[in-house]
Amino acid sequence: MSEARKIAETAIADVVNDLRGIVGAAHVFTGASDMSAYLTDWTKHYFGMAIAVVRPADVQQVSAIVKLCGAAGIAIVPQGGNTGLAGGGVPSAARPSIVLSLSRMTTIRELHEAGRTVVAEAGVVLEILKDHASAHGLLFPLSFGAKGSCTIGGNLATNAGGSNVVRYGNTGELCLGIEAVLPDGSIFNGLTGLRKDNTGYDLKDLLIGAEGTLGIITAAVFKLSPQPLTQVTAFLSMASVDAALHALNLIQDRTGQSVEAFEYLPQPVLSAIGKAFPALKSPLQGPVETGVLLEVGSSRVSDARTDEAGANHLTSELLILFEELMESGDMIDAVVAQSEQQRADLWHMRESVLESIMAYGPSYHFDISLPLARISGFLEAMDASAAALGFETLTIGHLGDGNLHYALVSQDQDTWNALPLEEAKARAFDLLKQLNGSFSAEHGIGQSKLDVMRALKEPAQLDAMRAIKRALDPQDIMNPGRLIPTAE
Amino acid sequence: MSEARKIAETAIADVVNDLRGIVGAAHVFTGASDMSAYLTDWTKHYFGMAIAVVRPADVQQVSAIVKLCGAAGIAIVPQGGNTGLAGGGVPSAARPSIVLSLSRMTTIRELHEAGRTVVAEAGVVLEILKDHASAHGLLFPLSFGAKGSCTIGGNLATNAGGSNVVRYGNTGELCLGIEAVLPDGSIFNGLTGLRKDNTGYDLKDLLIGAEGTLGIITAAVFKLSPQPLTQVTAFLSMASVDAALHALNLIQDRTGQSVEAFEYLPQPVLSAIGKAFPALKSPLQGPVETGVLLEVGSSRVSDARTDEAGANHLTSELLILFEELMESGDMIDAVVAQSEQQRADLWHMRESVLESIMAYGPSYHFDISLPLARISGFLEAMDASAAALGFETLTIGHLGDGNLHYALVSQDQDTWNALPLEEAKARAFDLLKQLNGSFSAEHGIGQSKLDVMRALKEPAQLDAMRAIKRALDPQDIMNPGRLIPTAE
């Protein structure tokens, strides 16, 4: 609180008045009850303090707020749907701060059907953007559990991933351009929607994934894709993780790179789901050591065409391939969803994983990625290490992206409390370093992984990040204390 | 030359000796004849001066050279295949400089078939990398005219594009990670090959396209794709540019996004090709106002399967679509290559465009991009503007990317000399600004477009670029005077 004390209460009152002047009094919250939802993160692990929560209506207001806060030395924490898992969207108590909520910037400015692009403001909820594209016969593919409340500004700030990255890429890969306010209050007008533009440093990709530390993304233009005409959803029992990855390449080749999801669901996770939600059973008989939820989609008329038996072309092709994979021993069993209900059930199973793990017992969750060839090696070594330390493990993952959500768990709190969590984390991070993996694949750093960032990120890269941060935000007003660990 | 004089000749001799100590005497050139090929660019418009041309063997040597030059205040110009079109790879005479040629770093370190990745050093020639991938049954899709001599380091430094971007993206989108030496000589080890990694600012994408001003890319890991099992190449006569773009969306949908090239070749260009190379004729009868070279590829077994008539499935589907497009009036005529020879002829025609324009007469070439919906508007307005000023125009383009190579031409030098080129350029750039276009789509800025960059790039973005450059390269030793115009 020492720095906070440097700004006199009268100065703070002036700033709040000026903020009211910019956005209107109705859009500046200063009361504890009005602010509380903005100061607590989704995980309930992180709480912050703020002078005010400010809700600007447009980019000019955002710019004016940033200039005002810059002049007053007040920190700005941009916030979207507040669904982050790393504590990156709530302020620290160490600096006088405002929360700048993008929740009023909810206009979808333009959807261009022929150009297959859409321009949306930062506060647009992901699901609303998906529905809007869908109403125009197009697909905005980004998708994950929080889609009903997260916003596309937050998705960009964290470069969010999810289940369809294997086909369509992370949020950043879907984005053709951004509008943003930089730390000096200047407006970066980058909503051109160009597919090719080589005119200097890629500031768009610098701000994407920067977690609000280099500016505030206020709008973005995204690529849209054709809606699939047909989708095949299947649950596969594979002989091993490596067999699953081999099968993924074959399925990609045979379907023209049309795999939309390839989600890893091993037996311990299936058991945990069955325990938490008895209605959600694996659709296959017997244990499924290496389960994979596969979805393949196609916009091709010929793939949607059905034969005499009623099966469409894409399904028939996949069934032939599954037979080949069973003959080669890579695949043990497979079931294809025969109805929209069966498809929904499979996805329901997938989407119940986090709750099932939470219900299972106390847990610690890694969000990691590995080169595809190193995944099985990591799992073998880390599962053994965790078991030796007394942990159970529950692992799921976006296997096609090499992204694992690896959880250390225990069935009761007393057992958990006695387990050497820090030792297990150290072993996992050592192993990741050895195997060229990443300690943060898609959830970001925020506050929760600053220690790991300090320990594992290459010093040359940390130094370069600090130099860029100082250059663009010399006063350190943009989301200070997040993403970049302080130098030792 | 004033700054050059600040470094005494004895000091320069010391530096050259130290460089010999780092890379071996055989790999430091100081004689005019040894250096000349490195000091003249491909266009023959740009000549430079250098203390030495230095050819390191590995990243440690690159790091040692950068540290040495940093200490001595000598500028470093990284150079790959020296095939750039913007003068970005040859030194200036205004600063004592070395050319750091990556031409000895030609190792393809690792190709991982199951992971579909390859790690290559910066000096690997693009075509060699393509052949290497091909020998493993995989595709490295980047392709353009200079592929036999350009290097992947230069491709990354300029974020090179080419004919297959519509399907596979620019060089940067193919790259999963880089190894680089930063301006302070530190080594950035980013060869992880991860598909997802959100651990701070994206330094990879900052260095890609930075034209050597923020460091030297020494190696990279790239994604590989399956080789197409079948390719359909066709030449289309479309009713208009907008009809062509409408057709592109339909073809993308019907083929599951399998369009690999969609190249615009209008009648004036076809006439210029026919004039320069009488053997290279449009395969269609009569004039072709809006010609398109289309290539579609598929790795699907079912697409390569032939029917009784001998046509494969992909071709049959396209022919049905072409009929629909003719009925709707979007398409006037089409011919599908029936043999590898006919396919090669079509590509030969496309690849003869630049030479044909050169043979036609004096010319000025724009490398621009536009939102897809704005292309026809630009062409109409700019063609009229150019004609009013007395220019002829020859335009080709990667239409699917909105990237036009637009040339102002004249049939003889005397006429050309009397034409108001600066006025025409000003009109083109004004129009681009109005239409949200880019003045540099894929060739980069180098020296040749610094004026345009100063005039058209948004001041907020130029300021941010300058701040980043100062932060990472405070001595301004990395390719100084390129890419970023000096502040007025």
Side-chain angles (χ1 to χ4, degrees), chain A residues 83-126:
Chain A
T83 60
L85 298 172
V90 293
S92 127
R95 288 269 301 268
S97 309
I98 64 161
V99 170
L100 190 153
S101 165
L102 281 308
S103 54
R104 283 175 72 211
M105 293 188 61
T106 56
T107 305
I108 297 176
R109 293 187 194 161
E110 185 188 16
L111 184 146
H112 199 287
E113 284 186 21
R116 299 197 163 175
T117 54
V118 63
V119 179
E121 292 184 344
V124 172
V125 167
L126 173 54

Side-chain angles (χ1 to χ4, degrees), chain A residues 1 3 23 95 108 117 152 172 176 180 198 203 208 236 269 274 354 362 376 388 390 404 407 426-427 465 468 473 488:
Chain A
M1 289 298 290
E3 266 196 86
V23 300
R95 288 269 301 268
I108 297 176
T117 54
I152 63 99
L176 293 171
N198 276 300
L203 298 178
I208 292 172
L236 317 176
V269 168
L354 187 57
S376 58
L404 300 177
R427 290 197 192 180
M465 284 178 61
I468 292 167
D473 183 14
E488 285 296 80

Side-chain angles (χ1 to χ4, degrees), chain A residues 154-191:
Chain A
N155 300 154
L156 285 164
T158 55
N159 193 20
S163 297
N164 297 130
V165 172
V166 64
R167 177 156 189 180
Y168 298 101
N170 288 307
T171 313
E173 291 162 272
L174 301 170
C175 178
L176 293 171
I178 59 169
E179 172 191 270
V181 175
L182 299 178
D184 65 358
S186 63
I187 296 172
F188 163 24
N189 291 300
L191 289 180

